[in-house]
Amino acid sequence: MSPDEYCQQKTAQSGSSFYYSFLFLSAERRRAITALYAFCREVDDTVDDCTDEAVARNKLAWWRKEVAAMRAGNPTHPVMQALQPHMATYKLDGQHLQAIINGMEMDLDQTRYLDYPGLQRYCWHVAGVVGILSASIFGITRPETLQYAEQLGLAFQLTNIIRDVGEDARKGRIYLPVNELQQFNVTAADLLNARHSDNFESLMRFQVQRAQAAYDAAFALLPREDRRAQRPGLMMAAIYRTLLDEIEADGFHVLNQRTSLTPIRKLWLAWKTYIRG
């Protein structure tokens, strides 16, 4: 299996909404974004799939060395071998890859966030940076496009947090800020024990409104000149915003189930966004 084939398999197996937007890219850009996404999946899985914290930290340290090895021209992992040719082509910064690893390590360092600014710092590492790298691959001509991509990454991560509240709680992680739980009279025990309530619904409605506002803020930053090149991100946004609508329409039952869209619906949303231009 070639490095590109490895990355393609890793991406397709994830079932992520991002996969559907990659289908509309040119072959070269598709290989680059697939390699980047595979890298994100590898380091994320290092934390999610490892029950021993010390082992997870050692694996992340190995990935740091592998990023350095790629920048020096001698990567050993197929994901880094696949990503290496695209670093110069799309002006990707290796420090951003290290920042993503830092974000994954934050999941080992803390499982609660006191306030929204603290959560934003986490989101920047695990999603905002990914947005910047992705936008560079899609094609940019204006610096504002990177600001759009960073903000869009925040919106995506807020959506993931809303969707995965119950699943994350069962892993011992609560990303909803502590002061907001207190504001809406929802306890950590409520989340850990999947206790749905009117207070919880009010809390989640607040979270959805903030995520939707993040999407609006991102779109306002996207220059018209780069809109066509950035269509993959807009496709992802169409899918993720529809997911938020579904969660709200379902009464925010995210503590004991995971709301998702069917593959055909994701493809349809991506296609509609693509032809809209």
Side-chain angles (χ1 to χ4, degrees), residues 210-247:
R210 179 162 59 200
Q212 294 285 19
Y215 285 107
D216 291 337
F219 297 155
L221 289 166
L222 178 59
R224 184 167 52 185
E225 298 93 321
D226 284 349
R227 180 179 174 87
R228 188 174 182 86
Q230 295 299 318
R231 280 185 298 185
L234 298 176
M235 292 179 208
M236 295 179 233
I239 293 170
Y240 267 55
R241 295 193 90 167
T242 300
L243 179 64
L244 282 179
D245 292 340
E246 288 290 322
I247 290 172

Side-chain angles (χ1 to χ4, degrees), residues 119-169:
L119 180 63
Q120 278 183 298
R121 286 191 291 274
Y122 169 76
C123 290
W124 182 83
H125 279 283
V126 299
V129 172
V130 180
I132 292 169
L133 291 167
S134 299
S136 299
I137 292 171
F138 299 151
I140 61 172
T141 63
R142 298 278 299 276
E144 300 94 319
T145 302
L146 293 180
Q147 297 172 4
Y148 142 82
E150 184 177 341
Q151 180 70 23
L152 189 62
L154 169 64
F156 287 151
Q157 190 60 27
L158 292 177
T159 303
N160 285 337
I161 288 169
I162 291 165
R163 180 195 62 196
D164 298 336
V165 168
E167 183 179 326
D168 288 334

Side-chain angles (χ1 to χ4, degrees), residues 11 16 29 37 64 68 93 116 119 148 166 171 179 192 217-218:
T11 303
S16 170
R29 293 184 194 274
Y37 183 79
R64 292 186 199 283
D93 188 346
Y116 182 57
L119 180 63
Y148 142 82
K171 295 177 182 176
N179 66 344
L192 295 170

Side-chain angles (χ1 to χ4, degrees), residues 146-276:
L146 293 180
Q147 297 172 4
Y148 142 82
E150 184 177 341
Q151 180 70 23
L152 189 62
L154 169 64
F156 287 151
Q157 190 60 27
L158 292 177
T159 303
N160 285 337
I161 288 169
I162 291 165
R163 180 195 62 196
D164 298 336
V165 168
E167 183 179 326
D168 288 334
R170 287 187 289 276
K171 295 177 182 176
R173 298 176 192 160
I174 297 176
Y175 294 102
L176 303 180
V178 170
N179 66 344
E180 292 172 10
L181 292 175
Q182 295 170 341
Q183 177 185 341
F184 289 92
N185 294 314
V186 175
T187 67
D190 290 334
L191 304 184
L192 295 170
N193 294 295
R195 287 197 289 261
H196 191 93
S197 65
D198 290 343
N199 286 346
F200 177 74
E201 288 188 19
S202 296
L203 169 66
M204 296 312 296
R205 189 170 291 109
F206 175 80
Q207 302 298 322
V208 168
Q209 289 170 352
R210 179 162 59 200
Q212 294 285 19
Y215 285 107
D216 291 337
F219 297 155
L221 289 166
L222 178 59
R224 184 167 52 185
E225 298 93 321
D226 284 349
R227 180 179 174 87
R228 188 174 182 86
Q230 295 299 318
R231 280 185 298 185
L234 298 176
M235 292 179 208
M236 295 179 233
I239 293 170
Y240 267 55
R241 295 193 90 167
T242 300
L243 179 64
L244 282 179
D245 292 340
E246 288 290 322
I247 290 172
E248 187 163 15
D250 192 42
F252 306 104
H253 286 282
V254 292
L255 289 173
N256 51 17
Q257 65 186 43
R258 192 176 196 266
T259 303
S260 61
L261 306 181
T262 64
I264 192 67
R265 192 172 182 194
K266 291 177 182 178
L267 188 59
W268 171 242
L269 289 166
W271 172 247
K272 281 203 305 182
T273 305
Y274 179 81
I275 61 175
R276 199 176 295 140

